[in-house]
Amino acid sequence: MSSTQQPAWPDLPFAAWRDTCATLHLWTQIVGKIRLVRSPWLNHSWHVVLYVTGRGLSTSPIPDGARSFEIAFDFIDGALRIATSDGRSRQFALAGQSVASFYERTLATLAELGIHVAIDDMPNELPDPVRFSLDHGHASYDPDAARRFFAILVNADRVFKLFRTAFLGKASPVHFFWGSFDLAVTRFSGRRAPRHPGGVPQLSDAVAHEAYSHEVSSASFWPGGGAIDYPAFYSYAYPEPAGFRATKVRPEAAFFSAALGEFILPYDAVRTAADPDATLLEFLQTTYEAAALAANWDREMLECAPGRPGVVRAV
C-alpha cells in the first residue's frame, strides 16, 4: 500500500500521462458496460455511471439475481476489486494489463464469482475505436498519475456536491461518465428540450436523444485531450440559448470555446488559485447563471442557499 500523499489539487499535465489516461479510459468503459448490461435504464443514462469513492471509482452495487456485486478501481493500491453481497471477493493489479488483458481478466474474475456477463466490446464516444478484446496497444499504467487524477476527482466531487445543494429542482448526482471520461453534475430547468441531433461517435442516437430530452445546464471536470489538450472544467447549456456564449463569466481565466460550444476553465487556474474551492464555485455559479438567465429559468422556484452540515434547510 502506498503512503504517498497527494496535494488536494495536484499538478497533472495531460501530456505527462496521456498514455495512462487513454488506457484507464478504456478500462472504465469495460467496467461501465458491465453495469450497463445488468442495470435497468434510468433517465439520462444515470444507471451506467461510476462514482468517486474514498479510494477510486466504483460502480456501486449491480444486481445479480438475489445478490449484488460491485466493481471498484482502487487508485491508492492500484487494483481492481470485485466484491459480492454474499461475502466473496477477488482483485487483481492494474499495472501490467493491456486493454485486452484487462477485458479478459475482468470477465474471468467475475466468472470465478459465478457472475457471467457479456458486453459489447466496442468502445463508445471515441474516434477509430479498437475492440477491447483486440486492443493490446493501450497498456500503460502510471500509478502516481492515477493517484493524482484520483486526488483531483475527490476534490472536484466535493465542490460539485456543495454546488448541487443550492438547487431545489431536478439535478443529477455527481457522477463519472466513462464514455466521455469526465466527472459531471447537471441541473434541469424542468422544461423539455428540442430533439438532440445525435451524431456522437460510437453512441446510439437514441441514447443521445434520451440523455438530452430536457433542458440542462451541465458542468464537468475533464483530464484533457483533443481540442483542449490540458485538464479543465467546462460548462454548457442544452439547448444553447441566445446570448449564452457572450455572457461574461468568472473567474478571469474562464473563456468560451466556440469550437466546443462550452465555457472552459483551465484546471491550472483552479489549482494555483489562492482559494481553489471558491474559484471553482465561482465558475460553476456564473456559468449556471449564464444559462439560467439566457433561457429564462424560473430561478425563484429552483434555487436555494447552499447546504450546511447538520443544518436543516429553512422553508
Side-chain angles (χ1 to χ4, degrees):
M1 177 176 177
S2 171
S3 60
T4 302
Q5 297 295 311
Q6 296 292 349
W9 300 96
D11 187 22
L12 190 62
F14 182 65
W17 81 302
R18 186 188 308 272
D19 293 342
T20 291
C21 184
T23 301
L24 186 56
H25 187 175
L26 292 163
W27 289 349
T28 63
Q29 291 215 3
I30 292 167
V31 170
K33 286 189 174 215
I34 292 168
R35 186 177 183 205
L36 166 65
V37 299
R38 285 299 187 95
S39 303
W41 198 276
L42 185 61
N43 49 289
H44 316 299
S45 297
W46 293 353
H47 62 300
V48 309
V49 297
L50 305 179
Y51 302 98
V52 176
T53 71
R55 302 186 70 87
L57 289 167
S58 171
T59 58
S60 75
I62 300 170
D64 182 48
R67 67 173 177 170
S68 65
F69 65 98
E70 183 173 2
I71 308 176
F73 289 92
D74 181 336
F75 296 133
I76 295 177
D77 286 352
L80 187 83
R81 294 197 167 95
I82 304 174
T84 67
S85 60
D86 55 8
R88 303 173 67 192
S89 64
R90 296 286 190 279
Q91 70 178 60
F92 61 84
L94 295 174
Q97 306 287 337
S98 68
V99 169
S101 171
F102 181 92
Y103 172 70
E104 180 180 359
R105 192 159 187 183
T106 300
L107 296 186
T109 303
L110 286 168
E112 290 176 13
L113 296 168
I115 303 164
H116 301 280
V117 178
I119 65 172
D120 176 2
D121 76 337
M122 184 65 77
N124 293 114
E125 300 185 52
L126 292 170
D128 306 315
V130 176
R131 290 190 178 278
F132 302 136
S133 56
L134 302 176
D135 189 346
H136 300 278
H138 291 100
S140 299
Y141 185 73
D142 177 345
D144 179 65
R147 285 190 289 269
R148 288 171 178 266
F149 177 55
F150 170 56
I152 297 170
L153 291 181
V154 165
N155 286 284
D157 179 74
R158 174 177 54 78
V159 176
F160 282 9
K161 284 175 177 172
L162 176 58
F163 173 67
R164 187 175 183 264
T165 66
F167 197 73
L168 294 173
K170 174 181 167 182
S172 76
V174 179
H175 47 204
F176 189 87
F177 280 107
W178 42 264
S180 47
F181 204 62
D182 56 7
L183 186 74
V185 63
T186 302
R187 292 177 170 186
F188 293 77
S189 71
R191 300 188 296 242
R192 293 196 65 87
R195 192 171 182 83
H196 191 279
V200 179
Q202 298 299 318
L203 185 71
S204 163
D205 285 352
V207 173
H209 295 159
E210 198 277 336
Y212 291 102
S213 61
H214 290 71
E215 195 173 58
V216 302
S217 170
S218 188
S220 301
F221 168 75
W222 186 52
I228 302 293
D229 207 27
Y230 51 82
F233 295 93
Y234 66 87
S235 180
Y236 66 91
Y238 181 79
E240 183 186 323
F244 173 70
R245 63 179 58 200
T247 306
K248 178 64 176 175
V249 301
R250 298 187 302 275
E252 284 297 319
F255 65 94
F256 189 85
S257 167
L260 297 175
E262 300 166 344
F263 284 105
I264 301 293
L265 176 63
Y267 167 69
D268 283 351
V270 174
R271 178 180 68 84
T272 59
D275 188 337
D277 287 23
T279 300
L280 177 52
L281 282 169
E282 185 176 45
F283 177 72
L284 297 173
Q285 182 62 27
T286 59
T287 55
Y288 157 70
E289 288 176 352
L293 287 169
N296 195 30
W297 287 26
D298 188 348
R299 297 183 62 191
E300 183 177 353
M301 292 292 293
L302 295 172
E303 298 173 18
C304 63
R308 292 185 291 160
V311 179
V312 178
R313 184 179 65 84
V315 295

